[in-house]
Amino acid sequence: IQKLCDRVASSTLLDDRRDAVRALKSLSKKYRLEVGIQAMEHLIHVLQTDRSDSEIIGYALDTLYNVISNDLEEEEQEENSAKQVDDLGSQFTEIFIKQQENVTLLLTLVEEFDFHVRWPGVKLLTSLLKQQGPQVQQIILVSPMGVSRLMDLLADSREVIRNDGVLLLQQLTKSNAAIQKIVAFENAFERLLDIITEEGNSDGGIVVEDCLLLLQNLLKNNNSNQNFFKEGSYIQRMKPWFEVGDDNCGWSAQKVTNLHLMLQLVRVLVSPTNPPGATSSCQKAMFHCGLLQQLCTILMATGVPADILTETINTVSEVIRGCQTNQDYFASVNAPSNPPRPAIVVLLMSMVNERQPFVLRCAVLYCFQCFLYKNQKGQGEIVSTLLPSTIDATGNSVSAGQLLCGGLFSTDSLSNWCAAVALAHALQENATLKEQLLRVQLATSIGNPPVSLLQQCTNILSQGSKVQTRVGLLMLLCTWLSNCSIAVTHFLHNPANVPFLTGQIAENLGEEEQLVQGLCALLLGISIYYNDNSLENYRKEKLKQLIEKRIGRENFIEKLGFISKHELYSRAAQKPQPSFSSPDHMMFDHEFTKLVKELEGVISKAIYKSSEEDKKEEEVKKTLEQHDNIVTHYKKVIREQDQELEELKQRINTLTSQNEQLQATVTQQVSQIQQHKDQYNLLKVQLGKDSQHHNSHGDTFQINGIQTEEVSKLKEELEEWKNKHELLQGQLKEKDSVIEKLNSSQLEMGTTEQSSQTSKLGGLEHSSELQKELEMLRSQIQLQSVEISKLQMENQKLQVMNTTADPMLGDSGATAATSSELERRLEQEIKELKSQVKTLSEEKESLKQNLDSSSSTVAILQDEKSKLQREVAESKKEQDDLLVLLADQDQKISALKIKLKDLGVPVEDEDDTESGDQGDEDEDGDEEEQD
């Protein structure tokens, strides 16, 4: 081995190195430790440097695989202990992954398409993940596109690589939610389901099993992937997996394994440990795609292997648990028997049959529990089969209630326990059914009077049956009496019950009986806590005194604590499915453990409470009941109001629909009217032409004198409008002249100070606004003049028609018709003219208002002008005063200069100083220009 390692390290020829690596590969299985210690570093170096030669790379990968992998031959496994083998593999893996670049290099080699490189690379990476899973997962996760590169293995056309790729992904996705999410979003579900379909679903080989195990890794306890699986409509693709034929004999072991994993995969999606919303949506999807129906078919099929039937029952249980739609469907499923029986009845028959396998009976109990979970309708149907009014007297069909009663009182303790727990689930959180079950009467033997179900349960308890039976009956009684005062009263009414319970609790018995003692203490505590004091001899206070005398409070509380301290109690509290290693361990139910948690504390408090505290508590309860009554009353009122609101909404909807219909009819009528108007206009044009050609048909104006009078009135009104129009134009001209004068006067005062300029600008703005208003008024007047001209034209037409009318008209029928038609048209035109006159009068009013506003603005402008004039005059006065002052100063300065000259002081003349200043200013200006 040492020589071969030297050849690998020092040989320059590739062939020599290749031969040396091949020789190391052949030795690596037998001398694993030696090859691993001496050659690993050289083999990694070969992987790094000889990438171009696929053959040497393949040999190197195979050698490393033989060194790291624990899949040794049987002979070697006999020689070495398993522990040493495991240690060796994990130690070599640790050495290999110490340098993260080695794993990255391996990922790169797995990308190679060459079979001799890719396949050993996949096997080596799988072995690394088996030995040091979390560390290798972390390296792959942080390497760029690490997981994506491995996903490409599923698309390889060579089945060997694809199948080993599935095994690699199985190891990669174990207990790593981040990698599971990446794999799922790299389209893993689609590819795996395609492979399962290609391989023949449940009839496929071990490849299907591997794909299903990988799907379980991706979905179990991963809410994100479960949601992605549901949203991607992959649940629908699971339905063909469960299509079984009529002949189910001779299933292969692989098919049983595959179908078992498929059922487990369904359960992963609807597990009670998942978030309720996610579970509910998956349950609905399974019902809508027909998957639940397919599972029920397997449930009722013949020849199905027992372990598949058991797992199918468990799967159906979780698909229907807490989903009303699915529970209703399951209640309607019938077994293919003659006559047909409900599936529930057939399953209960298996549960109370002691010849059936224990695991199957547990599965049926779980199915029944899931059917009743949050299903008050189903609970009512089960209890109703026990009530006297609904029992079938003929005895042709066996009901669920009868089977449960039969199991409850059979000689098989397991049947007793299962039936008691099943009946307790029928009463879970349903006070009405607890009261109704008190009506159930049982015929114990011929000649004896019937006994109530409650009484029969207590009778069996007192007879000292098996521990399992007594535990089951006590759980049933505790569930039945909790939160039901009437049931407590019925229980206490039997004088033998309380002494029996106190006797059981007070005795010092062995370990097996401690559990029964604890449950008896719980039942007695429930009888105190939910006691309504209706029985004088068994009031709360008296029962507490009895405990104090016979048992002792501390002893009672200690016995009560035996339940929650029991190992089987904590095991049952973990999950809803009853899973027991043997029938002897079947003691507690999951829902009952919740009840114990709820009641243990309150019963302990109730035992130590005084009578005064009890009274106070009762008063509080009464007030709470009153509040509840008030709340229920208001709820009722709100419900009624909601109904009224719904009715009103419906009425509104009907009225809106009617309104829409009416609007539609109105629009239709409007369109029809428009059509009629168009037709009328056409007729009008045609009649005008006819009147020009036939002058003899136009004397309709002289049928009566009303039309001519109206025409003359219209003429007079037109004249008035013309006069008003001229007056308005005159007023506008006057306003224009005033505004022009104002503008000219404001323009003249442009040389005054800053304050006067700002006020003047305001005046100009006012004048511009006035001009705009005047422009608007002019446009309105022009429009009015156009309308007046239209009216004049209409009037001329009417006059022409009036003058051209011929008085010599015959009395024929056609003439009368045309005259009436013309009369009607004329009346319509007169109406139109009146409306136009009305509009003109309205426009006149608006014009007046506009003129008033303009006159007010003119007045404002005049005021401002006068103010400006005053300010100008004041400024002129101030200027004159300043000039006078300056003149006085000049005189004084000149007098002072003369005096200075007389005194002999040299004084510059004003002309000299001015010229000097001017020169300085010119120099400064030149400097500024240069700058």
Side-chain angles (χ1 to χ4, degrees), residues 742-792:
L742 281 167
N743 285 335
S744 61
S745 63
Q746 283 171 353
L747 287 166
E748 285 170 2
M749 292 188 289
T751 55
T752 56
E753 292 175 356
Q754 191 66 31
S755 61
S756 63
Q757 284 177 358
T758 54
S759 61
K760 181 187 163 190
L761 282 167
L764 284 167
E765 283 172 8
H766 280 299
S767 64
S768 62
E769 286 174 8
L770 276 170
Q771 283 180 344
K772 284 178 185 175
E773 285 178 4
L774 280 168
E775 288 296 325
M776 286 168 67
L777 287 168
R778 282 172 185 162
S779 61
Q780 286 177 0
I781 288 162
Q782 283 174 0
L783 287 168
Q784 285 182 349
S785 62
V786 169
E787 286 176 1
I788 288 163
S789 62
K790 281 182 184 177
L791 286 168
Q792 284 175 348

Side-chain angles (χ1 to χ4, degrees), residues 331-601:
S332 68
V333 174
N334 284 322
S337 59
N338 194 12
R341 281 178 176 163
I344 295 166
V345 172
V346 175
L347 290 171
L348 287 176
M349 287 168 81
S350 302
M351 186 183 78
V352 296
N353 185 353
E354 56 189 298
R355 289 192 295 276
Q356 291 290 347
F358 171 65
V359 183
L360 181 68
R361 293 173 78 179
C362 288
V364 172
L365 176 63
Y366 184 44
C367 187
F368 192 72
Q369 289 174 351
C370 290
F371 169 66
L372 296 176
Y373 183 70
K374 291 185 180 178
N375 182 10
Q376 292 200 344
K377 184 183 172 187
Q379 288 176 324
E381 287 168 0
I382 297 297
V383 171
S384 67
T385 58
L386 282 164
L387 299 176
S389 58
T390 55
I391 292 171
D392 187 4
T394 57
N396 291 334
S397 63
V398 181
S399 68
Q402 288 169 326
L403 284 168
L404 289 174
C405 279
L408 199 60
F409 309 121
S410 75
T411 52
D412 176 31
S413 62
L414 192 61
S415 296
N416 300 154
W417 191 91
C418 290
V421 169
L423 204 53
H425 274 263
L427 303 174
Q428 203 81 40
E429 296 177 3
N430 199 325
T432 312
L433 294 181
K434 287 176 185 177
E435 290 174 18
Q436 284 189 6
L437 203 66
L438 296 168
R439 292 166 47 205
V440 176
Q441 300 288 319
L442 302 171
T444 51
S445 58
I446 300 164
N448 290 334
V451 181
S452 71
L453 178 62
L454 186 68
Q455 183 62 48
Q456 186 63 14
C457 290
T458 53
N459 290 345
I460 293 167
L461 267 178
S462 59
Q463 286 167 11
S465 49
K466 287 183 182 177
V467 172
Q468 195 173 40
T469 303
R470 282 183 289 160
V471 167
L473 288 169
L474 283 164
M475 284 198 297
L476 170 61
L477 289 170
C478 288
T479 308
W480 193 348
L481 267 60
S482 66
N483 209 12
C484 184
S485 300
I486 298 166
V488 170
T489 307
H490 275 257
F491 178 75
L492 295 173
H493 201 270
N494 185 350
N497 288 341
V498 173
F500 166 73
L501 291 176
T502 51
Q504 284 285 312
I505 299 161
E507 285 183 30
N508 289 320
L509 302 168
E511 268 190 45
E512 286 186 1
E513 292 294 327
Q514 281 185 350
L515 193 55
V516 177
Q517 283 185 317
L519 289 166
C520 286
L522 181 67
L523 185 58
L524 188 57
I526 288 167
S527 303
I528 293 168
Y529 186 70
Y530 292 106
N531 194 339
D532 59 357
N533 294 329
S534 56
L535 293 173
E536 187 60 37
N537 294 334
Y538 295 106
R539 294 172 68 83
K540 282 185 181 181
E541 197 55 41
K542 288 190 176 180
L543 287 171
K544 285 181 194 175
Q545 288 169 6
L546 189 69
I547 288 170
E548 184 66 42
K549 286 177 186 175
R550 296 276 178 88
I551 305 162
R553 286 180 185 175
E554 287 78 10
N555 193 19
F556 179 85
I557 299 299
E558 187 188 346
K559 296 286 171 75
L560 184 64
F562 283 161
I563 303 170
S564 54
K565 288 173 186 172
H566 204 281
E567 183 193 348
L568 296 174
Y569 171 89
S570 55
R571 201 179 294 172
Q574 287 171 4
K575 58 179 182 176
Q577 186 184 356
S579 55
F580 306 102
S581 54
S582 69
D584 298 333
H585 292 157
M586 206 171 194
M587 287 292 174
F588 284 111
D589 170 53
H590 178 75
E591 289 297 324
F592 181 73
T593 60
K594 291 182 183 176
L595 184 71
V596 173
K597 277 181 193 172
E598 186 186 327
L599 293 176
E600 192 175 7

Side-chain angles (χ1 to χ4, degrees), residues 848-908:
K848 278 184 179 179
Q849 288 173 1
N850 288 330
L851 280 168
D852 292 337
S853 63
S854 63
S855 60
S856 63
T857 51
V858 166
I860 291 160
L861 282 169
Q862 282 178 344
D863 290 339
E864 287 179 354
K865 179 191 169 186
S866 59
K867 282 179 185 177
L868 286 168
Q869 284 174 346
R870 283 197 295 274
E871 285 174 359
V872 167
E874 286 172 1
S875 63
K876 279 181 180 178
K877 282 180 183 178
E878 286 174 0
Q879 282 177 353
D880 292 338
D881 294 339
L882 283 166
L883 287 167
V884 169
L885 283 166
L886 283 167
D888 290 341
Q889 282 179 349
D890 285 339
Q891 285 176 2
K892 284 177 183 178
I893 287 161
S894 59
L896 285 165
K897 279 181 181 179
I898 290 161
K899 283 180 181 180
L900 286 165
K901 281 179 182 179
D902 292 341
L903 290 166
V905 177
V907 178
E908 290 181 0

Side-chain angles (χ1 to χ4, degrees), residues 64-113:
L64 284 168
Y65 172 72
N66 291 339
V67 168
I68 287 168
S69 174
N70 288 330
D71 303 334
L72 298 173
E73 292 179 3
E74 290 177 9
E75 293 174 8
E76 292 181 57
Q77 281 184 349
E78 286 170 11
E79 290 171 12
N80 303 323
S81 67
K83 191 176 180 183
Q84 287 175 340
V85 168
D86 287 346
D87 286 348
L88 202 58
S90 62
Q91 282 169 11
F92 281 132
T93 304
E94 208 167 327
I95 294 163
F96 185 85
I97 65 170
K98 212 167 196 177
Q99 298 294 323
Q100 291 191 7
E101 296 82 12
N102 295 342
V103 180
T104 312
L105 175 65
L106 196 53
L107 287 170
T108 313
L109 291 170
V110 166
E111 272 192 295
E112 294 286 335
F113 186 73

Side-chain angles (χ1 to χ4, degrees), residues 180-181 184-185 189 215-236 238 265-266 268-271 274-283 285-286:
Q180 287 166 6
K181 284 178 187 176
F185 282 97
F189 293 138
L215 281 169
Q216 272 195 24
N217 279 1
L218 294 174
L219 292 170
K220 200 166 190 177
N221 300 324
N222 193 319
N223 299 327
S224 170
N225 281 4
Q226 286 173 10
N227 192 44
F228 182 59
F229 192 83
K230 180 185 72 69
E231 294 296 334
S233 302
Y234 296 119
I235 289 174
Q236 286 81 330
M238 295 167 80
L265 197 63
V266 175
V268 163
L269 293 169
V270 291
S271 171
N274 293 346
T279 302
S280 176
S281 57
C282 286
Q283 286 172 331
M286 285 174 186

